[in-house]
Amino acid sequence: MVDLPDRWITDTEISTRFPYYTRANADEVGPEPFTPLGWSLGWGRGCVPGVADGFISFGVLTSDEFAVDPPEVFGNWGGYFYNQLSLPRLMGVRMPGATPEAIDQAYFGDHPGVPPYTPHPEDENEAQTAKLEATMGWVMTTDGHPTMEEWKANAQALRSARPDLASLSDAELVARARDIAEQVHTAWVPYCEICLGASLGPGAVQMVCGAVGRPEAAVQLVSAIGEVDSAAASFAMWDLSRIVRGSDELTVAFDAGVDGLIDRISGGSDDAQRFVTGFEALLAQYGHRGPNEWDLGSPSWETDHTIPLGMLERLRFQDDDRAPSNSTEETAAERTRLLEEISGLVAEDAEALGALQAGASSAATFFQLRERGKNAVIMLLNEAKVTLLELGDRLVERGAIEDRWKVFQALDGELDQLVDDASALGSTLAERAEIFAELPNRVPPYIIKLEEGVPPIREWPVRGESDAEVATAGEVLQGAAASPGTVSGTARVILDPYDAMALQPGDIMIAPTTDPSWTPLFLQAGAVVCNVGAIASHAAIVSRELGVPCVVSVVDATDRIPDGATITVDGAAGTVTIG
């Protein structure tokens, strides 16, 4: 039994100016604890300063308003990622027509436990309000973000031009990883602008739909928008699954298990060669995806082929008529029809009509850009990941560490020492790895408040000991509408995308959270229900693109919904009814 410490080595300072942090919407970005190197290098050197610069360039605040260095745009305690709660609310105060409560709804959904907004004497700022007003005008009228498009191209170029990592020295590997982190910093600035702007369009659509008594139409009007980068991997997965489904040889190979599958079928029939070629293309384009993909220390599809192969193992059983293109076409047609209908209801109100049409257009643009931006940044992070894994392999060969992944137990500031004398840190990394392995077994506080501080990690509840009451027949669980459609089916609680063997075609997947790396499983499921999320969550955007009904922010869904129960999901109303 590992003796957990009171604090972890990546714990951050609680801001006095922006004193509230939350796991709401953060458990989608970082469902598992971040490794020390994943946080200190990937986030401390890359994401965090990039987000801070993005808040400034968007107009929310000025650089001197940050009270903590590095800027308090996020928090990390016990390895767990926390969103700032106070800082986005500042945008709600300063942005014309917005409120802190509206910001909470857009980013965190209806999840309970979020403390009410408390005004601060410095929240009002006329200069920033004027800048935000100009930014709002841009968000509601632009049809793209050229800088983000450049970073998409830059990330793809970096991946294509990856050097022979084995030929680089240890110091060169570290330098490459740090250089990529600096690129992440720069790429996060436009990506942050996009994330902040992504709530405005849907907000306008929701306002108009609510005013005409059609609130359920809002989520349908932002569905099947097309050109969503994070959905593209699912389409590619679907095509590969059809090769498997149509081949007796590949069916037998998958029946034998995914471990070593590629080696077993290489040199086989034409079908086998088509699959191998297609799988290699999948990894070249989407190999950076993976569970907990914001952490450098988590496997990606490229570093662990069993993850995408395991998803294909499930997807091969889905009927051909469930092709995502079919659902997308139907949903897109319904979106167009519904936009015309709602536009007709407000035709006599020029302001409302303008808000509806501009909001729908902005939502589509920014949801596309949000997934494009995330895809680019994750691709950059994966390049740092494979670079550091090369270093990890060398440390294993020298006997300094036992497992290549233990390199991520180092801090950014220790990498030079690791290169100079790995043996001096070997025992330290091993000790950290033991503690780190226990962190996922603890439930972090949902809210961190300055006045209360952070409870010692050893006092955090043990995961799996939930006191949530199991829902009974006839009970309706309310969440947030994420993707339209009504489906009944068998509930399957899936806690880990590595282990989805119980999921059968048409089952309703109940998950703690999902990110785009899970979404190939969406094609297997009849619908998806998540503990957390909001309409602008990545998984919600992708599920709408794939035409899969989805409800998010169903509190304790994985504990309350019995595995095997018959349930009905209404993705437009945001409800889950127990049969």
Coordinates of all heavy atoms in Angstrom, one line a residue, residues 508-553:
I508 N -26.5 1.5 -25.6 CA -26.3 2.9 -25.2 C -25.1 3.0 -24.2 O -25.1 2.4 -23.2 CB -27.6 3.5 -24.5 CG1 -28.7 3.5 -25.5 CG2 -27.3 4.9 -24.0 CD1 -30.0 3.9 -25.0
M509 N -24.1 3.7 -24.7 CA -22.8 3.8 -23.9 C -23.0 4.8 -22.8 O -23.3 6.0 -23.1 CB -21.7 4.1 -24.8 CG -20.3 4.1 -24.1 SD -18.9 4.1 -25.3 CE -19.0 5.8 -25.9
I510 N -22.7 4.4 -21.6 CA -22.7 5.3 -20.4 C -21.3 5.5 -20.0 O -20.6 4.5 -19.6 CB -23.5 4.7 -19.3 CG1 -24.9 4.1 -19.8 CG2 -23.8 5.8 -18.2 CD1 -25.8 5.1 -20.4
A511 N -20.7 6.7 -20.1 CA -19.3 6.9 -19.9 C -19.1 8.0 -18.9 O -20.0 8.9 -18.8 CB -18.6 7.2 -21.2
P512 N -18.0 8.0 -18.2 CA -17.7 9.1 -17.3 C -17.5 10.4 -18.0 O -18.0 11.5 -17.6 CB -16.5 8.7 -16.5 CG -15.8 7.7 -17.4 CD -17.0 7.0 -18.1
T513 N -16.8 10.3 -19.1 CA -16.6 11.5 -20.0 C -16.0 10.9 -21.3 O -15.6 9.7 -21.3 CB -15.6 12.5 -19.4 OG1 -15.4 13.6 -20.4 CG2 -14.2 11.9 -19.2
T514 N -16.1 11.6 -22.4 CA -15.4 11.1 -23.6 C -14.7 12.3 -24.3 O -15.1 13.4 -24.1 CB -16.4 10.5 -24.6 OG1 -17.3 11.6 -25.0 CG2 -17.2 9.4 -24.0
D515 N -13.6 12.0 -25.0 CA -13.0 13.0 -25.8 C -13.0 12.4 -27.2 O -13.5 11.3 -27.4 CB -11.6 13.3 -25.3 CG -10.7 12.1 -25.3 OD1 -10.9 11.2 -26.1 OD2 -9.8 12.1 -24.4
P516 N -12.6 13.1 -28.2 CA -12.7 12.7 -29.6 C -12.1 11.3 -29.9 O -12.4 10.6 -30.8 CB -12.0 13.8 -30.4 CG -12.3 15.0 -29.6 CD -12.2 14.6 -28.2
S517 N -11.1 10.9 -29.0 CA -10.5 9.6 -29.3 C -11.4 8.4 -29.0 O -11.2 7.3 -29.4 CB -9.2 9.4 -28.4 OG -9.6 9.3 -27.0
W518 N -12.5 8.7 -28.2 CA -13.5 7.7 -27.9 C -14.5 7.5 -29.1 O -15.2 6.5 -29.2 CB -14.3 8.1 -26.7 CG -13.7 7.9 -25.4 CD1 -12.6 8.4 -24.9 CD2 -14.3 7.1 -24.3 NE1 -12.4 8.1 -23.6 CE2 -13.4 7.2 -23.2 CE3 -15.4 6.3 -24.2 CZ2 -13.6 6.6 -22.0 CZ3 -15.6 5.6 -23.0 CH2 -14.8 5.8 -21.9
T519 N -14.6 8.6 -29.9 CA -15.8 8.7 -30.8 C -16.0 7.5 -31.8 O -17.1 7.3 -32.3 CB -15.8 10.0 -31.5 OG1 -14.6 10.3 -32.1 CG2 -16.1 11.1 -30.5
P520 N -14.9 6.8 -32.2 CA -15.2 5.6 -33.0 C -16.2 4.6 -32.3 O -17.0 4.0 -33.0 CB -13.8 5.0 -33.3 CG -12.9 6.1 -33.2 CD -13.4 7.0 -32.2
L521 N -16.2 4.6 -31.0 CA -17.1 3.8 -30.3 C -18.5 4.3 -30.4 O -19.5 3.6 -30.2 CB -16.7 3.7 -28.8 CG -15.4 3.0 -28.5 CD1 -15.1 3.1 -27.0 CD2 -15.5 1.5 -28.9
F522 N -18.7 5.6 -30.7 CA -20.0 6.2 -30.9 C -20.7 5.5 -32.0 O -22.0 5.4 -32.0 CB -19.9 7.7 -31.1 CG -19.6 8.6 -30.0 CD1 -18.8 8.0 -28.9 CD2 -19.9 9.9 -29.9 CE1 -18.5 8.8 -27.8 CE2 -19.6 10.7 -28.8 CZ -18.9 10.1 -27.8
L523 N -20.0 5.1 -33.0 CA -20.6 4.5 -34.2 C -21.1 3.1 -33.9 O -21.9 2.6 -34.6 CB -19.5 4.4 -35.3 CG -19.0 5.7 -35.9 CD1 -17.9 5.5 -36.9 CD2 -20.1 6.6 -36.4
Q524 N -20.6 2.5 -32.8 CA -21.1 1.2 -32.4 C -22.3 1.4 -31.5 O -23.2 0.5 -31.5 CB -20.0 0.5 -31.6 CG -20.4 -0.8 -30.9 CD -20.4 -1.9 -31.9 OE1 -20.3 -1.7 -33.1 NE2 -20.7 -3.1 -31.4
A525 N -22.4 2.5 -30.8 CA -23.5 2.7 -29.8 C -24.7 3.3 -30.5 O -24.6 4.0 -31.5 CB -23.0 3.7 -28.7
G526 N -25.9 3.0 -29.9 CA -27.1 3.6 -30.3 C -27.2 5.1 -29.8 O -27.8 5.9 -30.5
A527 N -26.6 5.4 -28.7 CA -26.6 6.7 -28.1 C -25.5 6.7 -27.1 O -24.9 5.7 -26.7 CB -27.9 7.1 -27.5
V528 N -25.2 7.9 -26.6 CA -24.1 8.1 -25.6 C -24.6 9.0 -24.5 O -25.3 10.0 -24.7 CB -22.9 8.8 -26.3 CG1 -21.8 9.0 -25.2 CG2 -22.3 7.9 -27.4
V529 N -24.3 8.6 -23.3 CA -24.6 9.4 -22.1 C -23.3 9.6 -21.3 O -22.6 8.6 -21.0 CB -25.7 8.7 -21.2 CG1 -26.0 9.5 -19.9 CG2 -27.0 8.5 -22.0
C530 N -23.1 10.8 -20.9 CA -21.8 11.1 -20.1 C -22.1 11.8 -18.8 O -23.1 12.6 -18.7 CB -20.9 12.0 -20.9 SG -20.3 11.3 -22.5
N531 N -21.3 11.6 -17.8 CA -21.4 12.2 -16.5 C -21.3 13.8 -16.6 O -21.9 14.5 -15.9 CB -20.4 11.7 -15.5 CG -20.6 10.3 -15.1 OD1 -21.5 9.7 -15.5 ND2 -19.7 9.8 -14.3
V532 N -20.4 14.2 -17.5 CA -20.0 15.6 -17.6 C -20.1 16.1 -19.1 O -20.3 15.3 -20.0 CB -18.6 15.9 -17.1 CG1 -18.5 15.4 -15.6 CG2 -17.6 15.1 -17.9
G533 N -20.0 17.4 -19.2 CA -20.0 18.0 -20.6 C -21.0 19.1 -20.7 O -21.8 19.4 -19.8
A534 N -21.0 19.8 -21.9 CA -21.9 20.8 -22.2 C -22.0 20.9 -23.8 O -21.3 20.1 -24.5 CB -21.3 22.2 -21.7
I535 N -22.8 21.7 -24.3 CA -23.1 21.8 -25.7 C -21.9 22.0 -26.5 O -21.8 21.6 -27.7 CB -24.2 22.8 -26.0 CG1 -24.7 22.6 -27.5 CG2 -23.7 24.2 -25.8 CD1 -25.9 23.5 -27.8
A536 N -20.9 22.7 -26.0 CA -19.7 23.1 -26.7 C -18.5 22.1 -26.4 O -17.4 22.3 -26.8 CB -19.2 24.5 -26.4
S537 N -18.8 21.0 -25.7 CA -17.8 20.0 -25.4 C -17.4 19.3 -26.7 O -18.1 19.2 -27.6 CB -18.3 18.9 -24.4 OG -18.7 19.5 -23.2
H538 N -16.1 18.9 -26.7 CA -15.6 18.2 -27.9 C -16.5 17.0 -28.3 O -16.8 16.8 -29.5 CB -14.2 17.8 -27.7 CG -13.2 19.0 -27.5 ND1 -12.9 19.8 -28.5 CD2 -12.6 19.4 -26.4 CE1 -12.1 20.7 -28.0 NE2 -11.9 20.5 -26.7
A539 N -16.8 16.2 -27.3 CA -17.5 15.0 -27.6 C -18.9 15.3 -28.1 O -19.5 14.6 -29.0 CB -17.6 14.1 -26.3
A540 N -19.5 16.4 -27.6 CA -20.8 16.8 -28.1 C -20.8 17.2 -29.5 O -21.7 16.9 -30.3 CB -21.4 17.9 -27.2
I541 N -19.8 18.0 -29.9 CA -19.6 18.5 -31.2 C -19.5 17.3 -32.2 O -20.1 17.2 -33.2 CB -18.4 19.4 -31.4 CG1 -18.6 20.7 -30.5 CG2 -18.1 19.7 -32.8 CD1 -17.3 21.5 -30.4
V542 N -18.6 16.3 -31.8 CA -18.4 15.2 -32.7 C -19.6 14.3 -32.8 O -19.9 13.7 -33.8 CB -17.1 14.4 -32.2 CG1 -16.9 13.2 -33.1 CG2 -15.9 15.3 -32.3
S543 N -20.3 14.1 -31.7 CA -21.5 13.2 -31.7 C -22.5 13.8 -32.6 O -23.2 13.1 -33.3 CB -22.0 13.0 -30.3 OG -22.5 14.2 -29.7
R544 N -22.7 15.1 -32.6 CA -23.6 15.7 -33.5 C -23.2 15.5 -35.0 O -24.0 15.3 -35.9 CB -23.7 17.2 -33.2 CG -24.5 17.6 -31.9 CD -24.9 19.0 -31.8 NE -23.7 19.9 -31.8 CZ -23.1 20.3 -30.6 NH1 -23.5 19.8 -29.5 NH2 -22.1 21.1 -30.7
E545 N -21.9 15.6 -35.2 CA -21.4 15.4 -36.6 C -21.6 13.9 -37.0 O -21.8 13.7 -38.2 CB -19.9 15.7 -36.6 CG -19.3 15.9 -38.0 CD -20.0 17.1 -38.7 OE1 -20.6 17.9 -38.1 OE2 -19.9 17.1 -40.0
L546 N -21.6 13.0 -36.1 CA -21.7 11.6 -36.5 C -23.2 11.2 -36.5 O -23.5 10.0 -36.8 CB -20.9 10.7 -35.6 CG -19.4 10.9 -35.6 CD1 -18.8 10.0 -34.5 CD2 -18.8 10.6 -36.9
G547 N -24.1 12.1 -36.0 CA -25.5 11.7 -36.0 C -25.9 10.8 -34.9 O -26.8 10.0 -35.0
V548 N -25.1 10.8 -33.8 CA -25.4 9.9 -32.6 C -26.0 10.7 -31.5 O -25.5 11.7 -31.0 CB -24.1 9.3 -32.1 CG1 -24.4 8.3 -31.0 CG2 -23.4 8.5 -33.3
P549 N -27.2 10.3 -31.1 CA -27.9 11.0 -29.9 C -27.0 11.0 -28.7 O -26.3 10.0 -28.4 CB -29.2 10.2 -29.7 CG -29.4 9.6 -31.0 CD -28.1 9.2 -31.6
C550 N -26.9 12.1 -28.0 CA -26.0 12.2 -26.9 C -26.6 13.2 -25.8 O -27.1 14.2 -26.2 CB -24.6 12.7 -27.4 SG -23.4 12.9 -26.1
V551 N -26.5 12.8 -24.6 CA -26.8 13.6 -23.5 C -25.6 13.7 -22.5 O -25.0 12.6 -22.2 CB -28.0 13.1 -22.7 CG1 -28.3 13.9 -21.5 CG2 -29.2 13.0 -23.6
V552 N -25.2 14.9 -22.1 CA -24.1 15.1 -21.3 C -24.5 15.7 -20.0 O -25.6 16.1 -19.8 CB -23.0 15.9 -21.9 CG1 -22.4 15.2 -23.2 CG2 -23.5 17.3 -22.3
S553 N -23.6 15.8 -19.0 CA -23.8 16.4 -17.7 C -25.0 15.7 -17.0 O -25.8 16.3 -16.3 CB -24.1 17.9 -17.9 OG -24.0 18.6 -16.7

